[in-house]
Every structure is written in structure tokens, then in C-alpha cells.
Amino acid sequence: GENVEQHPSTLSVQEGDSAVIKCTYSDSASNYFPWYKQELGKRPQLIIDIRSNVGEKKDQRIAVTLNKTAKHFSLHITETQPEDSAVYFCAASMRTGANNLFFGTGTRLTVIP
Amino acid sequence: DGGITQSPKYLFRKEGQNVTLSCEQNLNHDAMYWYRQDPGQGLRLIYYSQIVNDFQKGDIAEGYSVSREKKESFPLTVTSAQKNPTAFYLCASSMEGLSAEKLFFGSGTQLSVL
């Protein structure tokens, strides 16, 4: 099955700096890559997703890049703010029609004011 | 919290006891999912359902059971066969019935063993 690895497990940045979280996946058939944000004590929420037919997607301060050849994708947060502090999970889906997302182990991001 | 509701927020299970976690959604979503979250690990799929009266096992279904008698409801029973049930359980739903895209999660139930 699919194996998703996520790094780093913890990340601290100064407010205003950028944060980058990286994930690798094992199955070249994976074609859908979402990122979820889980604030302390709250539910995970989808913040951005990308399909394998594009290499990059942006939404305001958040961007995701995908390298299909190397089988890795990354989340980039620019101009970080304290409210960005949370655990971020990447995930991969093996194929359209599959009802399973394979999640990474999460990255705890702390933005220091 | 509207959309998808899980209850209770905290649940304690005694040895040999079955317990049921509730999940209700009013989003008119076809697909519903149960995930287990352990500290330091990613979410793992227990069961999912694409339509009423149908459900499929996920990666860690042993010791769990589900039903989908109504579109809005997808309860999860943690049976006595689940030897390590302590975890945070998340229910999710998706408009996309055929794929786990754009999941909308509930607030979760923390299950602990007495």
C-alpha cells in the first residue's frame, strides 16, 4: 500500500518568516494530495489540495508544490502568523475512486510572536 | 459546530464492554468515514461508507463495527475484541462519494479505557 512520510515532526519559526513542510509518497499511482490543518483541540480542516496534473497551487499565503518524478510534495506558508500554529497533515490518495487517504504523521508548527 | 457532529466528546470503556460512538451529518454528503488518531501518528482509516446500507473495511477494521442505515448517520462500535481502543476517533464526510476528497471532519471523540 501507499506510505507517506512527513518531515519535520516539529517546526518553530519567527512570525513573518516562511515555513516549509515536506512529504514523500511511495506509490506512483497516487494522484491527489491534500493538506489538513488541525489546531489544538479542534477538527482537521482541509487547507489546500493538489492533483497530479499540476505542479503548483497557491491560495494567498499557502502554496503546495508537487514533484511527481521524485514523488514528493511540499507545503509552503509565507509571512507566518501566530494563528498558523497547528499540526499539519499531508495525505495521498492512490487513485481516483479510492476511498482511502494515506496520512503522514503530522508536523507541529509553532509560530513565535 | 454545524455540519458533522460527533458524540460524546469523551468516552470511557470498561474491560469487555462494547461502546458506540455517534456521528451525524446534515451536509447531505454521500460518503462517510471513521479514522483513528494516535499520538505521533497519522490518521488511519477504520471503515468507510459510500452509500446507505453499504460499508467497507479500512486498514484497521479489526475490533470495530459500523452501520449505515441512514444517509445522515454512521455510528462506530468499538467491540471488546479491540484490545487497544484508547485513541481519538474522527468521523468525516465527503460530497465525493467515490473518493476521499475534501473531507469534512467532526470534532472527534476521545475514547479511554478504565
Side-chain angles (χ1 to χ4, degrees), chain A residues 18-77:
Chain A
S18 295
V20 181
I21 302 170
K22 299 180 179 181
C23 289
T24 61
Y25 60 99
S26 60
D27 194 319
S28 57
S30 291
N31 63 358
Y32 175 68
F33 308 93
W35 286 87
Y36 285 83
K37 174 184 180 182
Q38 187 175 26
E39 297 178 58
L40 188 63
K42 295 190 177 181
R43 69 188 75 192
Q45 291 188 300
L46 178 68
I47 56 171
I48 195 167
D49 55 7
I50 192 169
R51 297 181 187 279
S52 59
N53 58 346
V54 297
E56 183 176 5
K57 184 177 180 180
K58 288 184 179 180
D59 183 3
Q60 299 182 339
R61 297 186 297 106
I62 293 173
V64 57
T65 58
L66 172 65
N67 184 325
K68 286 190 294 182
T69 303
K71 289 189 282 188
H72 68 71
F73 56 112
S74 300
L75 179 70
H76 304 253
I77 306 174

Side-chain angles (χ1 to χ4, degrees), chain B residues 18-63:
Chain B
N18 294 351
V19 292
T20 298
L21 285 61
S22 171
C23 179
E24 303 276 334
Q25 55 102 355
N26 60 4
L27 300 167
N28 199 34
H29 285 173
D30 289 317
M32 296 187 74
Y33 307 81
W34 275 105
Y35 283 90
R36 170 176 171 145
Q37 186 175 26
D38 293 282
Q41 297 190 36
L43 283 67
R44 292 180 292 167
L45 183 65
I46 305 172
Y47 268 98
Y48 67 92
S49 169
Q50 292 176 288
I51 56 173
V52 175
N53 293 322
D54 183 65
F55 48 83
Q56 303 295 328
K57 293 182 179 180
D59 297 322
I60 55 167
E62 186 174 351

